[in-house]
Amino acid sequence: MFPLGATPSPGGTNFAVASGADAVDLCLFDDDQIEHGGETRVELTQYDAGVWHGSVPGVRPGQAYGYRMSGPWDPRRGLRYNPAKLLLDPYARAISGEVRFGPEVLAHRPDDPYARSDLESAAHVPRSLVIDTGFRWSERPRPRHRYSDTVLYEVHVKGFTASHPGVPAALRGTYAGLGHDAALSHLVSLGVTTVELLPVHHNVPEAFLPERGLTNYWGYNTIGYFAPHAGYSAAVRAARPGGQVAEFQAMVDALHGAGLEVVLDVVFNHTAEADHLGPTLCHRGIDNAAYYRLDPADPSHYVDTTGCGNSLNAADPFALQMIMDSLRYWLTEMRVDGFRFDLAPTLAREQGGFDRLSAFFDLVAQDPVVARAKLIAEPWDVGQGDSYDIGRFPPLWREWNGRYRDTTRDFWRGHDGLLGDFATRFGGSSDLYGGRGRPPTASVNLITAHDGFTLADLVSYDTKHNEANGEDNRDGSDDNRSWNCGAEGPTTDPVVLALRGRQQRAMLTTLMLSFGVPMLLGGDELGRTQQGNNNAYCQDGPLTWFDWDHVDEELLTFTRHLIAFRRGHPVFRRRRFLSGIDWQQLRWYTPAGEIVTGEEWADPGARSVAIYLDGVDEPDHAEDGALLLDDDFLVLVNAWWEPLEFVIPPTRDGQVWEPELDSFEPTGVASPAKLGAGDPVTVNARSLVVLRGPVSPVPGEMNAG
């Protein structure tokens, strides 16, 4: 099939677009035409297997272009062709310009959604750009971290460096800023392995946001699945349209050079064209029925499983091809390392219900490029009977574990009856993944993410405070599972502040010691606050940017120490569930030093447990085949609001235990001691203590299993 998009060649550029239109005009713009109107039209006359294409001599990188589609207008049958609307190329590698919302960008008349509008849109919409594909990579080897060794760091490209004093002003909030040494040094010193970037595909805000002086800061409103968002580019700021592509590639190259993987948050569930009354910018005008799921009862409307007005039609060959082509492009040409799929179940709804055997999952599993990437699902969408699909994705996939998040929050804020569930989440959520033959690393463990409270706000607010969003605090979740520790919002009370610090450290310690893949929300290590806003998607400013002038240095030091501790001890990074014949490797004790019984697991008032991890029995193997041996560990968990005495349980004969970490202490440093079976240990309120038992394995132990 003819390659879709704009492909530069020595004699010009080849253009191709998949569409069921009756005729397609390619529109070319020079600088004066972009500014003052006018265009050069070239009809694409070649049509093969649903693709309009043609070669235009003399067209070089930097050329601005768009498409006009001629065909039937019949919304009641899902047909929405309108040649008055200039359309972006769905395969555009770069996009230039902004959307100016108004009736001009609507394909229908504002007073009649079934009548075609003759208003010209060209002066109100962005252009596609032909790009230069000649970026020179450093050819440093890509970092490839096993899932078990991965520590994810979710971060917004702009917010991370928008006010960073170590990044030059011209680069702050850009791809170049994220690739700057000052940004890299923070990530490397923190110890994370993989940055998970909030959406970087070119996006536009919802129409109502500019009217309020706001924007879609998070970027979950994609219009270009092959184009880096121009708003994050220092080159574009410096009046070099199209420069965002090479700048993004240079950022990836720099992150790889620092040993960091790059995962993109991608939004293949809906586009920025909203519902049937939304703007016509690209996919709707090119082939509405191919790109979107239409309501069978009324094809003028969309099936909406995203809450955003439309859903991409992953059952259509051209829409599915676009998704797969985009994934391969970002992996091969932009060299990212994986993806986190927003509202991922939507991609598996060919016939309406979630289907783990859908064509999309089959194509991913069979693709020699995509199947090797990191693939992470947000395993829920909206408005369906099976919208919460956690634990149901195919073997290649990892999943954001909402059960882990909810249980960990509730356990540490003191809810009853959660000890058993806490143990299950800590051990990798075998109830969700073990029965399907998936490993603990299928679970991406998280406590906070971009959507909701930051960690500092989780322990500082009982309720959301979203007034700045202009919706009278109606938006955002009311179920935050948060606790303000005695005062709502900012306070100078030292008792409250100390308690908030302990709660943050306890949750971070739980996150980094649990089996699975931990994900840290960027800025949580700094004490970042959004002042109680749990839906800051529309806030592009100091509220959401990292505040580098007011860093919680104690928390940052603690988090660095904690991540280094996890990465230094393979016993906390197990790649399989410890059960059955391996049960001795993971044992659960009461504070009295006895094995926890079923009755004790079910005790609604139980909030404390000792976790034993054997470091030499049935160890995992390194990539070179070496055994990943470790010391033994005891993790003493006290979610009670008072200190609690634990008795060291009997484990290995003659084992001597040394305190290694104490989350009660702001530094995390535990008081030195030598402890043995039967000795008492006091664990302070709402905290964890980790004890290390040095092991010198004998050959029989080293080769066990």
Side-chain angles (χ1 to χ4, degrees):
M1 181 177 288
F2 201 90
L4 298 176
T7 310
S9 65
T13 297
N14 300 312
F15 293 89
V17 59
S19 175
D22 294 337
V24 176
D25 284 338
L26 168 70
C27 303
L28 304 175
F29 301 84
D30 60 29
D31 292 341
D32 185 66
Q33 288 172 331
I34 291 174
E35 186 69 25
H36 300 102
E39 61 194 39
T40 301
R41 295 196 187 187
V42 178
E43 184 179 1
L44 298 184
T45 58
Q46 301 176 61
Y47 185 72
D48 299 294
V51 176
W52 293 92
H53 60 92
S55 181
V56 182
V59 172
R60 297 287 182 264
Q63 174 68 59
Y65 70 100
Y67 290 116
R68 294 184 185 274
M69 303 287 169
S70 297
W73 172 267
D74 189 351
R76 290 180 175 85
R77 293 196 296 135
L79 301 173
R80 293 179 175 272
Y81 297 109
N82 186 339
K85 307 304 164 182
L86 181 70
L87 305 172
L88 289 167
D89 182 351
Y91 279 67
R93 270 43 173 188
I95 293 173
S96 178
E98 305 289 338
V99 176
R100 294 167 53 197
F101 289 102
E104 295 84 359
V105 300
L106 303 179
H108 61 275
R109 284 172 30 191
D111 60 341
D112 184 352
Y114 297 102
R116 183 159 64 182
S117 168
D118 294 327
L119 295 177
E120 172 58 53
S121 72
H124 299 263
V125 296
R127 310 294 194 261
S128 307
L129 296 177
V130 179
I131 67 159
D132 183 354
T133 58
F135 181 78
R136 298 185 64 178
W137 295 86
S138 68
E139 300 306 330
R140 290 176 289 213
R142 286 197 197 188
R144 296 192 182 275
H145 300 291
R146 287 186 172 189
Y147 280 112
S148 56
D149 299 330
T150 297
V151 179
L152 292 164
Y153 186 80
E154 191 196 31
V155 67
H156 191 284
V157 168
K158 182 175 183 179
F160 184 53
T161 64
S163 62
H164 197 303
V167 175
L171 304 184
R172 291 175 189 164
T174 69
Y175 304 120
L178 182 53
H180 189 271
D181 286 346
L184 297 177
S185 65
H186 176 75
L187 297 169
V188 171
S189 66
L190 185 58
V192 297
T193 67
T194 308
V195 293
E196 183 177 304
L197 303 180
L198 267 69
V200 297
H201 289 165
H202 194 88
N203 58 80
V204 299
E206 293 84 350
F208 66 87
L209 288 174
E211 296 174 359
R212 301 178 186 171
L214 302 171
T215 190
N216 191 322
Y217 170 70
W218 286 349
Y220 289 93
N221 218 36
T222 304
I223 199 61
Y225 289 108
F226 295 78
H229 185 60
Y232 304 152
S233 171
V236 171
R237 283 186 197 169
R240 298 197 301 276
Q244 62 264 44
V245 178
E247 185 178 337
F248 183 93
Q249 292 169 313
M251 176 198 72
V252 172
D253 204 31
L255 287 163
H256 283 173
L260 296 161
E261 295 174 313
V262 180
V263 168
L264 303 186
D265 196 331
V266 290
V267 189
F268 290 114
N269 54 76
H270 76 280
T271 78
E273 292 183 301
D275 64 12
H276 64 291
L277 300 177
T280 292
L281 306 173
C282 181
H283 309 86
R284 174 182 284 130
I286 287 175
D287 201 325
N288 184 56
Y291 283 111
Y292 296 117
R293 292 180 61 198
L294 306 185
D295 184 346
D298 181 2
S300 69
H301 288 65
Y302 298 120
V303 173
D304 181 9
T305 60
T306 68
C308 299
N310 65 63
S311 302
L312 274 182
N313 185 10
D316 182 88
F318 279 122
L320 192 55
Q321 179 187 346
M322 180 191 71
I323 294 170
M324 296 303 299
D325 286 348
S326 172
L327 296 175
R328 281 189 293 269
Y329 173 75
W330 288 93
L331 290 169
T332 58
E333 298 300 318
M334 309 301 269
R335 300 199 181 183
V336 304
D337 304 289
F339 307 96
R340 179 265 189 189
F341 292 78
D342 182 63
L343 303 182
T346 297
L347 290 165
R349 296 191 181 280
E350 293 178 17
Q351 306 301 323
F354 175 83
D355 184 2
R356 69 196 304 266
L357 301 178
S358 68
F360 172 69
F361 288 146
D362 282 346
L363 284 176
V364 167
Q366 297 169 27
D367 191 285
V369 175
V370 180
R372 298 183 61 196
K374 277 186 161 69
L375 302 171
I376 301 169
E378 180 183 39
W380 49 80
D381 54 10
V382 299
Q384 308 300 301
D386 60 350
S387 279
Y388 199 66
D389 295 299
I390 190 168
R392 299 181 60 197
F393 279 70
L396 280 179
W397 291 74
R398 272 57 186 171
E399 302 173 20
W400 273 26
N401 191 339
R403 290 277 298 278
Y404 181 96
R405 173 200 61 209
D406 295 346
T407 295
T408 303
R409 289 184 177 194
D410 283 345
F411 180 76
W412 283 110
R413 65 181 178 141
H415 276 216
D416 289 344
L418 289 175
L419 187 64
D421 201 41
F422 173 83
T424 300
R425 303 305 144 222
F426 185 96
S429 295
S430 60
D431 60 331
L432 299 176
Y433 308 110
R436 294 183 179 271
R438 299 169 69 189
T441 54
S443 175
V444 174
N445 299 329
L446 69 154
I447 296 170
T448 55
H450 67 276
D451 189 1
F453 282 148
T454 67
L455 185 63
D457 288 354
L458 188 67
V459 300
S460 302
Y461 294 91
D462 280 351
T463 59
K464 66 187 182 185
H465 296 267
N466 298 354
E467 290 80 6
N469 296 353
E471 298 183 38
D472 297 323
N473 207 34
R474 294 188 303 270
D475 62 307
S477 175
D478 293 312
D479 181 22
N480 296 291
R481 301 171 189 261
S482 61
W483 177 42
N484 65 20
C485 297
E488 187 74 359
T491 181
T492 58
D493 187 328
V495 175
V496 173
L497 293 174
L499 177 55
R500 289 176 177 176
R502 290 197 296 274
Q503 288 289 96
Q504 290 180 81
R505 295 191 297 273
M507 286 188 278
L508 286 172
T509 303
T510 301
L511 177 66
M512 291 300 163
L513 300 188
S514 297
F515 287 22
V517 180
M519 188 188 82
L520 179 68
L521 172 62
D524 276 355
E525 77 280 11
L526 308 176
R528 186 173 74 89
T529 177
Q530 291 177 169
Q531 299 173 25
N533 192 320
N534 74 352
N535 189 36
Y537 80 101
C538 57
Q539 299 294 329
D540 183 3
L543 184 73
T544 50
W545 299 349
F546 285 29
D547 184 356
W548 294 99
D549 292 329
H550 299 91
V551 171
D552 186 335
E553 295 290 351
E554 282 187 337
L555 185 61
L556 175 57
T557 300
F558 177 86
T559 309
R560 286 171 173 161
H561 174 61
L562 191 57
I563 294 174
F565 182 80
R566 176 185 175 85
R567 294 187 65 179
H569 292 288
V571 74
F572 294 104
R573 309 194 311 274
R574 291 283 198 176
R575 297 197 294 273
R576 56 191 172 80
F577 291 106
L578 304 183
S579 58
I581 62 172
D582 302 328
W583 76 273
Q584 294 283 355
Q585 302 167 11
L586 179 63
R587 285 181 248 164
W588 310 87
Y589 293 93
T590 68
E594 304 291 336
I595 293 289
V596 181
T597 66
E599 182 179 349
E600 288 164 328
W601 282 125
D603 180 358
R607 291 177 171 81
S608 303
V609 68
I611 307 164
Y612 170 67
L613 292 150
D614 187 321
V616 298
D617 191 13
E618 294 286 344
D620 290 326
H621 290 76
E623 292 187 8
D624 62 2
L627 294 175
L628 293 172
L629 301 170
D630 205 348
D631 293 328
D632 290 352
F633 287 90
L634 274 173
V635 181
L636 311 180
V637 180
N638 177 24
W640 197 254
W641 42 84
E642 294 179 351
L644 187 64
E645 185 174 272
F646 282 73
V647 174
I648 301 294
T651 54
R652 198 181 301 276
D653 288 344
Q655 181 64 280
V656 176
W657 297 97
E658 304 170 358
E660 185 82 8
L661 189 150
D662 185 351
S663 74
F664 186 84
E665 300 296 331
T667 62
V669 176
S671 300
K674 298 287 185 181
L675 304 164
D679 288 343
V681 179
T682 297
V683 180
N684 282 302
R686 303 184 187 277
S687 62
L688 302 90
V689 169
V690 179
L691 306 178
R692 180 173 61 88
V695 176
S696 298
V698 297
E701 289 178 316
M702 292 180 66
N703 296 320

